[in-house]
Amino acid sequence: MKPTTRPRVALLQTLWDLDPEVNLRRVLALLDTVDEAELIVLPEFFLGPPFYFPGRAHLKGVIDQPVPGPVFDRLAEAARRTGAYILCGTVVEREGDRYYNTAVLLDDRGEVVVKARKTHRFAAEMVSVTASDEFAVVDTPFGRVGICVCSDFWIPEVPRMLALRGAEIIAVPGAALRGNIQITRPCLQANSSFNVCYTLLASAVGSVTGERAGRQVSIEVAGHSTVAAPEELLGSLEEEEAVLRAELDMKHLRGLREVDLSFRRSLYFCLHGRRPELYGRLREPYSGHQDLKSLLTEYLTRR
């Protein structure tokens, strides 16, 4: 791929089916409609709700995947065909007796560039998958890309750390919960402003219901895939299955990060104006801290 400062991005918003193979075929069909892009982003759990969601336990050993593996072989073909990098949403990665919520970035040759494993597990993930301790930031021909796996984005320190490591594009393969939809776009916009970056959320749409620890539980995700720039939203979907396209301007973004001594522009201050020596307490727990893993483990397992 030739370097470019005007990368075209395509975010795939998919509808969940209960059959992982149907979901994969839907993704591949949408990829067939993308003919001009440097970066394509798929949602979290693009194969469908994982085995630790309510009513999905029967898919353990089926929906979880090795990386690399057959699913990524099929996506690698799409990467070579489109000539694009593909951030393959996430799958539940199976490695020995451990599981991870993992996003895989393929380059335009279909090769694995990086695996980004979720660092901040959410809800049932506390008792089902292993947390990573590493952040993923990679150089590409169209800019420096950082990856937030869904709930990682909602810990502001994560996109901040990615931006401080030079990430210009923060990609968020997500499953946007319906209960958070009203604040999703404002938070994406705020992240792009505070970190002077592009933020790309690719989300699925669907719901699943089943028994969990003797209770009926429903989980709904509601799309709203969005491309946010520091100064505006470049595009957004509602709940339709579709491809969201946008063109990024990396020269303009890099200009916003440069110190403007005339103060006509001020977003640079979000990065250059920091005083890290004052922020030592960021390493301390929240003043109302509770052991979330213990609370969730008891809640998810009691009957």
Side-chain angles (χ1 to χ4, degrees):
M1 178 184 294
K2 294 181 179 178
T4 179
T5 59
R6 303 283 300 194
R8 297 156 297 182
V9 299
L11 279 55
L12 273 58
Q13 181 162 290
T14 57
L15 302 181
W16 273 348
D17 189 274
L18 296 182
D19 184 339
E21 178 60 28
V22 170
N23 290 318
L24 179 57
R25 289 201 299 266
R26 282 181 168 174
V27 165
L28 294 171
L30 283 176
L31 284 170
D32 282 340
T33 71
V34 179
D35 54 6
E36 292 186 344
E38 277 69 45
L39 175 63
I40 303 170
V41 185
L42 311 185
E44 185 182 38
F45 306 134
F46 65 87
L47 294 178
F51 65 79
Y52 49 80
F53 274 30
R56 302 285 285 176
H58 62 287
L59 287 178
K60 189 170 186 178
V62 176
I63 200 168
D64 39 287
Q65 298 290 320
V67 181
V71 165
F72 297 98
D73 291 341
R74 294 166 74 174
L75 291 167
E77 292 177 9
R80 290 188 288 269
R81 179 189 62 75
T82 59
Y85 279 60
I86 300 180
L87 180 55
C88 303
T90 77
V91 298
V92 179
E93 178 192 4
R94 181 177 66 249
E95 184 179 80
D97 60 356
R98 291 191 171 191
Y99 299 91
Y100 301 88
N101 187 350
T102 302
V104 177
L105 180 64
L106 304 175
D107 66 16
D108 56 325
R109 299 166 299 173
E111 301 293 329
V112 174
V113 176
V114 70
K115 294 195 300 186
R117 291 167 166 171
K118 183 180 281 190
T119 56
H120 296 81
R121 299 164 296 171
F122 187 74
E125 290 181 329
M126 292 278 189
V127 295
S128 302
V129 301
T130 300
S132 172
D133 295 329
E134 299 180 356
F135 299 120
V137 181
V138 296
D139 288 311
T140 74
F142 46 84
R144 194 158 172 80
V145 177
I147 303 169
C148 283
V149 178
C150 198
S151 54
D152 286 341
F153 174 78
W154 295 95
I155 303 295
E157 289 86 348
V158 178
R160 179 57 119 189
M161 286 291 296
L162 299 178
L164 293 177
R165 290 177 57 186
E168 300 166 310
I169 300 169
I170 294 180
V172 187
L177 292 173
R178 184 171 297 282
N180 291 337
I181 283 301
Q182 294 304 312
I183 63 170
T184 295
R185 288 172 181 144
C187 288
L188 292 165
Q189 176 67 78
N191 181 72
S192 288
S193 299
F194 290 146
N195 290 308
V196 199
C197 67
Y198 289 103
T199 308
L200 317 180
L201 166 69
S203 175
V205 180
S207 63
V208 63
T209 299
E211 185 177 291
R212 175 181 281 169
R215 298 173 294 273
Q216 281 293 111
V217 177
S218 294
I219 296 174
E220 291 186 73
V221 297
H224 286 61
S225 298
T226 297
V227 178
E231 299 162 306
E232 62 180 329
L233 295 182
L234 298 183
S236 193
L237 300 175
E238 297 294 330
E239 298 186 29
E240 68 272 29
E241 184 166 73
V243 178
L244 175 62
R245 295 174 171 85
E247 183 175 276
L248 313 184
D249 185 343
M250 306 309 292
K251 285 185 178 179
H252 180 67
L253 179 81
R254 290 161 188 164
L256 293 175
R257 288 184 165 192
E258 292 177 357
V259 175
D260 177 13
L261 297 178
S262 71
F263 297 101
R264 288 192 298 268
R265 298 191 312 271
S266 62
L267 284 181
Y268 72 87
F269 191 73
C270 300
L271 298 175
H272 293 276
R274 297 169 61 254
R275 295 184 60 196
E277 69 274 13
L278 302 180
Y279 311 147
R281 293 200 64 176
L282 284 174
R283 298 177 60 87
E284 299 177 11
Y286 161 54
S287 60
H289 175 71
Q290 292 180 286
D291 185 350
L292 188 57
K293 182 176 180 180
S294 295
L295 290 170
L296 280 169
T297 300
E298 197 276 331
Y299 173 80
L300 292 167
T301 56
R302 72 171 183 263
R303 288 185 178 272

